[in-house]
Amino acid sequence: MGSDFWFGIEVFLNGLMAGVLYSLVALGFVLIFKASGIFNYAQGVLALFAAMTLVGLQKGQVPFAHLVNALFGTKIYYFGWELPSILAIFLTAGVMVLLAIVVERYILRHLVNQPDIILFMATIGLAYFMEGLGDLMWNSEIKKLDVGIPQGGILWIEQQTAFLGGDNFYGLYLDRLDIYAMFLAAILVLSLVTFSQYTKIGRALRAVADDHQAALSVGISLRFIWVVVWSIAGIVALVAGIMWGAKSGVQFSLSLVALKALPVLMLGGFTSIPGAIIGGLIIGVGEKMFEFLIGEPFLGGATENWFAYMLALLFLVFRPQGLFGEKIIERV
C-alpha cells in the first residue's frame, strides 16, 4: 500500500481526535437539554469564560483591573504571584458552580413553566452578558493556556510507522493533546451516563425535563436540580475550554466552537450523552475525510467549514431526532 493510503489513515485518526473535542462542547448542551428542556446557547461562551478565568487565576491577574485602574488612577494588573495549574483548575470549577447558582437565582427561577422560546432567548442574553463580563474581568487579549498537557506529535509512533508508506511517508502524526482529550472524554461520558442512569439525582434530572410541575408535585426541588445540572455543564465547559484553549489559545473564537457542536447534536440527538460522542466522531472524521478525498482534489479545499452543516441538514430531513435521540410523537 502506497503513501496515499497511509496519509488517509492519518487523516482518519486525526478526524477522530477532532471529533472528541467537538463532543466535549456538545456534552454541555445535552446535559442542560436533558434536565430542563433548554437549548443553552451560552454553552460555548461558558467554555470561553472558564478558560479565561483559569488563565487569569494561573497568572495572578487582578479581575476588572482596567475598570479599577480607571476609577482609582492605579496601575495594578497582577497580584505578583502565580497559582499551580491544579489549584487554578479547582478554583475555576468553584467559579463555575457559583455561576450556576447565580444563573438559577436570577434567571431560571423566574422562568419556570415559560415557553421554550423564552428560555432559549434567556440563554442568548446570558451568552452576550458573560462574553462582556469575561472581557471586563480578564481583558480581551489572546491568552496562552498551559496546564502541563504535552502537545506535539509522538515521535515514537512516527518512527515505528515511517516505513509503511515508502520514501514519501514520514510516519503517522498524532497530537498528544488530542489523545489526552480522547481519554478524558471517555472518562466524562462514562461518569455522566452512570450519574444519569443510576443515581437518584440523575433520575430527578429526567423527571424535571419531562414536566416541571409534575416534578415539583412529587417533591423534587427544581432549584436544586437546575443548580446541579448547570454546575456539571460548567465543569464540562471548563474541560472543553482547557482542551480547546491549550490547542488554539484563549480568544473570542473559542466561543464559536459551539456552532460546530450544533451538527454534532443533530446527528447524535439532543438527549443522548453517548450520542454526543458518536455524533462528534462522525463529524470529525467526516469533515477530514471529505476534505482529503473530495474537497482538496476536486473542490479546491475549504470544505471543512460547511461539510458538518450539510450533513446535519440531511439528518434534519430524514431523521430529525438524530441517531440516538428520543422520537417525540405529539397528539394534535
Side-chain angles (χ1 to χ4, degrees), residues 184-223:
L184 193 57
I187 294 171
L188 270 177
V189 170
L190 289 174
S191 302
L192 293 172
V193 169
T194 302
F195 175 80
S196 178
Q197 299 295 330
Y198 302 107
T199 66
K200 184 177 180 180
I201 295 178
R203 291 190 291 270
L205 295 181
R206 299 199 302 274
V208 169
D210 289 338
D211 192 315
H212 293 174
Q213 287 291 356
L216 287 169
S217 68
V218 297
I220 296 174
S221 173
L222 191 61
R223 292 176 55 188

Side-chain angles (χ1 to χ4, degrees), residues 73-260:
T74 57
K75 293 184 179 180
I76 302 173
Y77 295 96
Y78 294 92
F79 290 112
W81 41 258
E82 295 185 1
L83 291 179
S85 296
I86 295 296
L87 179 58
I89 289 173
F90 277 105
L91 289 175
T92 305
V95 171
M96 302 310 290
V97 172
L98 179 62
L99 178 64
I101 296 173
V102 171
V103 168
E104 187 282 326
R105 182 178 181 85
Y106 294 104
I107 299 177
L108 299 180
R109 182 187 299 185
H110 306 286
L111 298 177
V112 176
N113 286 325
Q114 293 295 321
D116 292 343
I117 187 63
I118 300 297
L119 294 168
F120 174 63
M121 293 300 293
T123 65
I124 293 178
L126 178 63
Y128 284 105
F129 172 78
M130 287 182 56
E131 192 175 298
L133 178 64
D135 287 346
L136 191 62
M137 286 182 67
W138 307 112
N139 73 54
S140 57
E141 297 175 356
I142 298 176
K143 302 172 180 63
K144 181 181 179 181
L145 177 57
D146 183 8
V147 293
I149 300 176
Q151 298 188 50
I154 303 175
L155 183 60
W156 182 84
I157 293 179
E158 293 182 32
Q159 292 174 340
Q160 297 302 314
T161 57
F163 71 94
L164 294 173
D167 295 337
N168 295 326
F169 186 73
Y170 302 101
L172 295 174
Y173 179 87
L174 299 177
D175 196 311
R176 289 185 179 91
L177 178 66
D178 293 338
I179 294 176
Y180 274 86
M182 180 179 65
F183 283 109
L184 193 57
I187 294 171
L188 270 177
V189 170
L190 289 174
S191 302
L192 293 172
V193 169
T194 302
F195 175 80
S196 178
Q197 299 295 330
Y198 302 107
T199 66
K200 184 177 180 180
I201 295 178
R203 291 190 291 270
L205 295 181
R206 299 199 302 274
V208 169
D210 289 338
D211 192 315
H212 293 174
Q213 287 291 356
L216 287 169
S217 68
V218 297
I220 296 174
S221 173
L222 191 61
R223 292 176 55 188
F224 174 73
I225 292 300
W226 274 354
V227 168
V228 168
V229 73
W230 277 77
S231 297
I232 296 174
I235 292 171
V236 172
L238 170 59
V239 175
I242 289 172
M243 293 303 171
W244 279 103
K247 190 177 183 69
S248 57
V250 179
Q251 53 188 311
F252 169 75
S253 61
L254 186 63
S255 65
L256 301 180
V257 174
L259 297 178
K260 188 58 72 74

